[in-house]
Amino acid sequence: MRHFSSLRSGPRAAVRGGPKAAVRSGPRAARRALLSVSALLLCLGTAVTTASAAPAAQGGATADAGSAVSPTAAQLQVPAGVTAGVAVYDRQTGTFTDQLNASMQFRSASIVKLLLVLDFFRDRGPDYTIPAADRALLEPMLRSSDDDAASHYWEVNGGAAIIERMKKDLVLSDTAGPPAGYEGYWGYTAVSARDTVKIYRHILEQAPAPVREFIMTNLRQSTRCASDSFDQHFGIAGAFDRPWAVKQGWSGDYEDGTCGPAGARNAKSAPASGGREAVGAKSAASVNLSQPALHTTGTVGAGDRTIVAVLTLHPLGTTYGKAYTDIGGLTRSLDVPGATRPTGKWYGTWGSQVHVRKAATTASDSLTRLPAGVEVLISCQKQGETVSVPPYTNNWWAYLPQYGGYMSNIYVSAPDNKLPDVPVCAS
């Protein structure tokens, strides 16, 4: 199923089913290959201030935002097969701490929604009042990456003309409207990591206070589950503790979203004729439209100290869980001043539709279902209900602090029932 962050404005279409994610493999993959699909799908328990700090003086020393690779780029952990554009800017010192392919163009997916909201405010001064009908669209567009709202503003405000206005207003170097033949697809707007930093700097340092406060307050309230049921707390949201504010983007042939409890609606989708992502889109001269994309952008630290932009393309056929894991590892390798790293151990998982629950029992309420094979942060473990996926059983449960719930250790990619480097939960 194609996520429609590259949504084209047009009529809404009916829900279309998509292929389910393949079971991810861990160290016990060979043994688990014998498990039935039905066993894998068991519903098992597996469970601010809004003011910005003053920026560094514009005349301060800054790294060359157009350089391909920074001196620290060798430390970045870019997974094999992944193409990445990275820019990390410390507003306190006025310097870039990491850069990699910073001027490379990527299709924006939902990152372009930042430009859509800036364009909405463009001629609304001096009070910048937001009508109730627009607030009802803009807030979910920023918090939950709602695509219907983006399509609305793309259509009523001139489509690619929005991008031209924003390029001029923000002095963007690498941003461009959708390529010829795809003019209606706002998610095919081209952006770069360095231009993404410029967009955030404009919001934080130049935009009128009501505009800045509206945008950043909503980005701080990013929901884990996006409007299309994709888990959007990858990258920045997983690599660092709050305070952070994020706008994420994803686009490509990913399986259906699973975010939310059992029974939650799956990702919306539609046939190509409905104007969603173009099936079989051919890449333009400078922008890849075919490989799965996953982007994490935003600010980290008190006072929005550091701006982070990580744009990635993944090999064809990459699952959402794999892309989520890969951009997570890359983001954790960045030098991000002011960031606080979460406590715990990162482990891979296996299985499809694995539940995170309120308590260490399958009778407990489901909080969400993990993307297949995603890496998770585990802070502690405890004994609970025995879970059986023949021929295996396990009564240990892992606590996932970023989800606020438990998953059965039977789905953790580790050889032992009890994880050797994870403490027992205090209560």
Side-chain angles (χ1 to χ4, degrees):
M1 194 225 77
R2 286 183 178 267
H3 170 66
F4 40 94
S5 278
S6 298
L7 187 64
R8 178 182 181 179
S9 58
R12 305 283 71 81
V15 171
R16 174 187 63 170
K20 298 300 178 186
V23 175
R24 303 298 299 159
S25 299
R28 292 180 282 184
R31 292 181 290 158
R32 287 174 173 156
L34 300 176
L35 297 176
S36 65
V37 172
S38 61
L40 296 178
L41 297 177
L42 287 174
C43 291
L44 295 175
T46 34
V48 151
T49 64
T50 57
S52 297
Q58 294 294 323
T62 60
D64 178 8
S67 63
V69 180
S70 72
T72 60
Q75 301 172 18
L76 303 186
Q77 297 177 13
V78 181
V82 173
T83 300
V86 176
V88 180
Y89 179 78
D90 182 357
R91 296 175 62 230
Q92 183 170 304
T93 63
T95 60
F96 284 86
T97 59
D98 273 318
Q99 291 186 89
L100 176 68
N101 301 323
S103 62
M104 182 177 178
Q105 290 180 313
F106 293 76
R107 70 183 187 275
S108 68
S110 288
I111 308 306
V112 74
K113 292 168 184 174
L114 295 172
L115 297 180
L116 297 184
V117 71
L118 284 171
D119 186 74
F120 167 82
F121 281 113
R122 191 168 184 264
D123 297 317
R124 292 183 179 269
D127 57 357
Y128 299 97
T129 299
I130 307 172
D134 287 301
R135 184 178 294 274
L137 293 173
L138 293 170
E139 288 185 346
M141 185 177 79
L142 292 175
R143 298 179 189 182
S144 303
S145 205
D146 187 83
D147 289 330
D148 291 344
S151 289
H152 166 76
Y153 290 110
W154 184 262
E155 184 174 346
V156 301
N157 290 333
I162 298 170
I163 307 305
E164 292 306 310
R165 290 193 292 269
M166 291 296 98
K167 283 175 58 179
K168 181 178 180 180
D169 289 355
L170 277 63
V171 193
L172 302 176
S173 304
D174 312 310
T175 301
Y182 300 100
E183 291 84 354
Y185 292 85
W186 45 260
Y188 288 168
T189 298
V191 296
S192 66
R194 69 176 180 178
D195 271 5
T196 303
V197 169
K198 285 185 180 180
I199 293 169
Y200 279 101
R201 290 195 68 189
H202 175 85
I203 294 169
L204 293 165
E205 301 166 13
Q206 299 176 32
V211 176
R212 179 181 68 246
E213 295 303 317
F214 178 79
I215 294 174
M216 297 308 299
T217 296
N218 279 284
L219 297 187
R220 291 188 186 99
Q221 296 179 49
S222 167
T223 60
R224 175 172 289 280
C225 296
S227 62
D228 59 3
S229 297
F230 278 83
D231 183 332
Q232 64 167 349
H233 278 185
F234 51 82
I236 294 169
F240 311 111
D241 284 339
R242 291 183 185 270
W244 46 251
V246 294
K247 185 69 206 79
Q248 315 281 58
W250 53 102
S251 171
D253 276 326
Y254 292 122
E255 64 275 19
D256 283 354
T258 62
C259 197
R265 66 184 180 87
N266 283 330
K268 296 184 293 182
S269 59
S273 59
R276 306 287 182 180
E277 282 192 88
V279 174
K282 298 183 182 299
S283 296
S286 58
V287 181
N288 186 296
L289 303 181
S290 57
Q291 288 180 250
L294 201 62
H295 309 322
T296 183
T297 75
T299 64
V300 179
D304 300 299
R305 173 172 174 174
T306 300
I307 299 169
V308 177
V310 181
L311 313 180
T312 62
L313 292 174
H314 302 258
L316 292 173
T318 299
T319 66
Y320 191 70
K322 178 67 164 70
Y324 191 119
T325 295
D326 283 349
I327 198 172
L330 170 55
T331 306
R332 293 196 300 273
S333 73
L334 301 177
D335 179 6
V336 180
T340 301
R341 312 275 172 164
T343 301
K345 297 289 184 180
W346 290 94
Y347 272 91
T349 64
W350 68 281
S352 178
Q353 305 276 339
V354 173
H355 288 259
V356 180
R357 296 190 181 269
K358 287 185 178 180
T361 170
T362 59
S364 180
D365 290 343
S366 172
L367 300 175
T368 191
R369 297 156 294 163
L370 297 175
V374 74
E375 192 174 53
V376 295
L377 181 73
I378 300 174
S379 62
C380 66
Q381 59 189 326
K382 65 184 292 185
Q383 289 178 298
E385 179 185 348
T386 297
V387 172
S388 179
V389 181
Y392 305 105
T393 60
N394 197 328
N395 71 336
W396 283 93
W397 292 67
Y399 182 71
L400 312 184
Q402 296 180 334
Y403 293 85
Y406 296 85
M407 65 170 284
S408 171
N409 278 16
I410 205 166
Y411 289 115
V412 178
S413 296
D416 301 316
N417 283 0
K418 182 182 179 183
L419 305 176
D421 55 355
V422 174
V424 174
C425 298
S427 62

XYZ file of all heavy atoms in Angstrom, residues 42 51 256 342 387:
35
model
N -1.624 -13.772 16.547
C -2.360 -13.842 17.805
C -2.367 -12.482 18.462
O -1.378 -11.761 18.451
C -1.691 -14.852 18.747
C -1.858 -16.334 18.391
C -1.012 -17.156 19.346
C -3.312 -16.749 18.485
N 8.097 29.505 23.939
C 9.013 30.557 23.495
C 10.334 29.959 23.058
O 10.824 29.005 23.650
C 9.240 31.552 24.620
N 0.409 -1.698 5.135
C -0.560 -0.863 5.841
C -0.049 -0.451 7.212
O 0.644 -1.208 7.892
C -1.877 -1.621 6.032
C -2.711 -1.683 4.763
O -2.335 -1.049 3.771
O -3.740 -2.386 4.770
N 17.468 8.761 25.638
C 16.647 7.932 26.531
C 17.446 6.777 27.111
O 18.436 6.317 26.522
C 15.534 7.424 25.610
C 16.140 7.439 24.240
C 17.072 8.617 24.227
N 3.180 -16.590 27.650
C 2.731 -16.501 26.262
C 3.304 -17.688 25.504
O 4.480 -18.043 25.672
C 3.185 -15.182 25.622
C 2.889 -15.156 24.137
C 2.528 -14.003 26.321
